Amino acid sequence: MLREKRESALKMGKFSSSYSTSDFVHFGVLLPFLLLSQLFFQLAWCGSIVKFLPGLEGPLPFVLETGYVGVGESEDVQAFYYFIESENNPKEDPLMLWLTGGPGCSAFSGLVIEIGPIAFKNEEYNGSLPNLVLRPHSWTKVSSIIFVDLPVSTGFTYATTEFATQRSDWIQVHQVHQFLRKWLIEHPNFLSTDVYIGGDSYSGITIPAIVQEISLGNEKGLQPWINLQGYLLGNPATTRRHENYRISFAHGMGLISDELYRSLQKNCKGEYINVDTKNVLCSRNIETFNEVTSGLSMVNILDPSCDWLDTETSWRRSLLKKYPRKNFLNTHLKLPSLNCRSYAYFLCGYWANDDSVRSALHIRKGTIGKWRRCTFNIPNKEDISSSYEYHVNLSRKGYRSLIYSGDHDMKIPFLETQAWISSLNYSIVDDWRQWHTDGQVAGYTRTYSNRMTFATVKGGGHTAPEYKPEECLAMFRRWISNKAL
């Protein structure tokens, strides 16, 4: 569709005039309004087709567009995106907007590590540009996907004013909503397409609120109208109480003894986060628990425990010794073992900070310094304490949802997700059963009368498609096609 000549887009003012300051005040966030120059106005709507990617041989076998959309009332945040058309039938297939968690992890991480059509070749880094390969189990086989770098200062997204560098859950909600309506104005061929919002991890806090705000915007008559159908979340943070479920998860997985589990239950009474300092027995039990589970990978207890983000530089010295003529970029990522999944995280930084890559992606020069996969060092105001109430509201409105959990993730255990879904108190329409790929059990699933499907991914970790790509594509393909898992 993007290869065809675009129709004339609707004027931006149609959305801007409808989306008034009062809409932001309603949620307790007031963003300033500034008049923009004509040059800045044009920059805010930059989108370009990318035909070649450094590190990948030959022309791209899929349609990739990158660009910026100005968000905030003065468009002082320039949100960067990667858009990939469905490789199947973009005129009929749904459109999904994807947010990676963090908060502050680039959508490129979701694209290259989880669900996109490219991945890094698993080979030792030698100082040259990392190589890319095609991923056979990309979700773009059945859907068009917009990978968006939000909140501000995530990936290639940047602010034009100091005030605009502020981060909060609600600011991200408003900016994603704005982004999508403006993006659709510039891509009118997708105005009637079924739209879903997807993401994982911390995105479980913001996405339900984003979906609700889009829905309310439709009800208010904001233009363009978005053909919103539902949302999907992987191992989502929801109540911010997921740490309370790590004890039960560890016991069920055989990581702690029966005696320690019973002692924790007795002495802590189910509260393992805000422990009373006077409760010596509970504190002692938790210390023992931490000792027993140390050395495990929190994101997948089956994987080796690997360093993936620190300030050590010994690896750089070893690389310089091995490849003395190579120019290694200054980075804070430590080189992990090649058998660690975090090796790909390390490669992300080298690839995205290469000048030829930035040129190919049409990155505006001078807008950001060093690209980082995740910017955890930038504060984010947590002004959404729980997304549970938004699930309640969206269930009443009848939106479809898929909530999936890699069943070996101890960071946000599937037990917590099961608990809050169960507390929605909807009747079961398709009871607990296996779901399969290639004749093998891929996980377990249950569907409720609020059109919410819960699924576990057997052997999956915190970002399930990273660990089980074939199974997760099968799950997504069936769900997005309104079929039972």
Side-chain angles (χ1 to χ4, degrees):
M1 290 170 71
L2 284 178
R3 296 191 191 278
E4 302 172 359
K5 185 177 181 180
R6 288 181 180 167
E7 303 172 12
S8 297
L10 299 172
K11 291 184 178 180
M12 283 180 55
K14 192 173 183 182
F15 171 74
S16 299
S17 62
S18 300
Y19 205 85
S20 65
T21 302
S22 61
D23 291 315
F24 293 100
V25 173
H26 175 73
F27 295 107
V29 178
L30 178 60
L31 301 181
F33 179 79
L34 299 173
L35 294 176
L36 305 175
S37 67
Q38 182 62 32
L39 175 61
F40 187 78
F41 178 88
Q42 291 173 349
L43 282 176
W45 293 97
C46 176
S48 305
I49 297 295
V50 177
K51 294 185 178 181
F52 295 88
L53 281 177
L56 185 69
E57 293 184 7
L60 296 182
F62 52 85
V63 178
L64 168 64
E65 176 189 285
T66 63
Y68 298 86
V69 172
V71 294
E73 287 195 37
S74 59
E75 299 191 347
D76 47 7
V77 171
Q78 295 291 297
F80 185 79
Y81 68 90
Y82 310 79
F83 170 63
I84 301 175
E85 268 194 356
S86 171
E87 300 173 65
N88 176 46
N89 185 353
K91 292 184 178 180
E92 300 294 334
D93 291 341
L95 171 68
M96 178 171 67
L97 183 149
W98 179 269
L99 297 169
T100 303
C105 290
S106 172
F108 180 69
S109 184
L111 190 163
V112 78
I113 292 172
E114 296 187 62
I115 64 172
I118 56 173
F120 286 108
K121 189 174 182 180
N122 190 33
E123 59 185 1
E124 183 181 5
Y125 179 67
N126 63 5
S128 60
L129 187 71
N131 290 310
L132 295 166
V133 294
L134 296 176
R135 176 187 282 115
H137 302 110
S138 171
W139 289 15
T140 56
K141 299 294 183 185
V142 293
S143 173
S144 298
I145 305 178
I146 318 169
F147 296 89
V148 185
D149 276 347
L150 279 172
V152 67
S153 303
T154 296
F156 289 115
T157 291
Y158 65 96
T160 61
T161 66
E162 184 177 353
F163 179 79
T165 61
Q166 297 180 74
R167 282 182 175 181
S168 82
D169 298 332
W170 271 116
I171 289 175
Q172 183 183 5
V173 168
H174 301 321
Q175 290 180 346
V176 172
H177 178 205
Q178 266 196 313
F179 174 95
L180 184 55
R181 289 195 192 272
K182 290 184 176 183
W183 189 91
L184 285 170
I185 288 172
E186 283 296 292
H187 299 78
N189 288 338
F190 293 93
L191 284 171
S192 62
T193 302
D194 289 349
V195 172
Y196 293 87
I197 312 297
D200 50 21
S201 191
Y202 192 86
S203 294
I205 295 292
T206 55
I207 283 179
I210 291 167
V211 176
Q212 175 171 293
E213 182 160 301
I214 293 172
S215 178
L216 292 174
N218 281 346
E219 292 172 9
K220 290 179 182 179
L222 295 187
Q223 296 299 316
W225 183 79
I226 297 173
N227 190 17
L228 183 65
Q229 299 297 310
Y231 59 103
L232 58 154
L233 298 169
N235 290 74
T238 304
T239 65
R240 301 188 189 270
R241 307 289 296 171
H242 46 269
E243 290 181 27
N244 271 338
Y245 291 84
R246 291 176 184 170
I247 306 294
S248 298
F249 174 88
H251 179 247
M253 289 291 179
L255 306 180
I256 62 174
S257 67
D258 291 342
E259 291 79 10
L260 176 58
Y261 181 56
R262 287 194 292 266
S263 187
L264 280 159
Q265 287 182 308
K266 176 184 177 181
N267 296 324
C268 301
K269 296 179 172 57
E271 179 53 62
Y272 308 111
I273 302 174
N274 300 312
V275 178
D276 185 351
T277 55
K278 297 178 182 179
N279 191 338
V280 178
L281 293 177
C282 176
S283 297
R284 188 179 300 161
N285 286 158
I286 289 181
E287 184 178 346
T288 302
F289 171 82
N290 290 335
E291 290 175 359
V292 171
T293 57
S294 65
L296 293 172
S297 170
M298 289 288 288
V299 294
N300 189 325
I301 61 172
L302 300 180
D303 269 17
S305 179
C306 299
D307 292 323
W308 65 280
L309 186 63
D310 61 23
T311 57
E312 296 182 31
T313 57
S314 58
W315 65 269
R316 192 181 299 111
R317 290 192 292 270
S318 66
L319 283 176
L320 285 170
K321 183 177 180 180
K322 189 172 184 179
Y323 305 102
R325 296 185 179 183
K326 295 292 184 180
N327 179 27
F328 291 92
L329 296 173
N330 179 30
T331 180
H332 294 293
L333 290 177
K334 179 184 177 183
L335 179 66
S337 170
L338 191 59
N339 71 337
C340 290
R341 294 183 188 276
S342 54
Y343 204 92
Y345 308 164
F346 156 82
L347 295 178
C348 284
Y350 275 94
W351 190 83
N353 282 304
D354 184 86
D355 288 341
S356 68
V357 170
R358 292 197 178 193
S359 177
L361 295 177
H362 304 282
I363 304 304
R364 295 173 184 166
K365 292 184 178 180
T367 54
I368 71 160
K370 184 172 297 299
W371 181 98
R372 288 182 171 84
R373 191 181 73 89
C374 295
T375 52
F376 294 131
N377 59 310
I378 301 177
N380 180 77
K381 183 179 180 182
E382 297 178 351
D383 47 8
I384 297 179
S385 59
S386 169
S387 58
Y388 179 79
E389 64 177 287
Y390 306 105
H391 288 288
V392 172
N393 297 338
L394 297 172
S395 293
R396 291 171 181 164
K397 290 175 177 286
Y399 288 107
R400 300 182 65 227
S401 60
L402 170 64
I403 317 295
Y404 61 91
S405 288
D407 64 7
H408 281 69
D409 174 27
M410 192 159 69
K411 191 173 184 68
I412 302 180
F414 69 91
L415 294 173
E416 195 252 356
T417 305
Q418 280 184 302
W420 68 256
I421 291 177
S422 178
S423 68
L424 291 171
N425 204 29
Y426 280 89
S427 59
I428 298 168
V429 296
D430 186 5
D431 208 352
W432 191 264
R433 62 172 177 81
Q434 298 174 349
W435 65 278
H436 302 82
T437 55
D438 294 332
Q440 298 296 318
V441 177
Y444 292 82
T445 183
R446 170 182 279 170
T447 301
Y448 297 83
S449 59
N450 62 340
R451 306 181 75 197
M452 178 178 284
T453 294
F454 171 69
T456 64
V457 180
K458 185 167 68 75
H462 186 58
T463 47
E466 177 182 2
Y467 299 86
K468 296 291 180 178
E470 181 180 359
E471 292 84 348
C472 285
L473 173 59
M475 173 188 68
F476 178 68
R477 184 194 301 269
R478 294 167 194 172
W479 182 79
I480 207 76
S481 302
N482 284 286
K483 297 178 181 178
L485 299 192

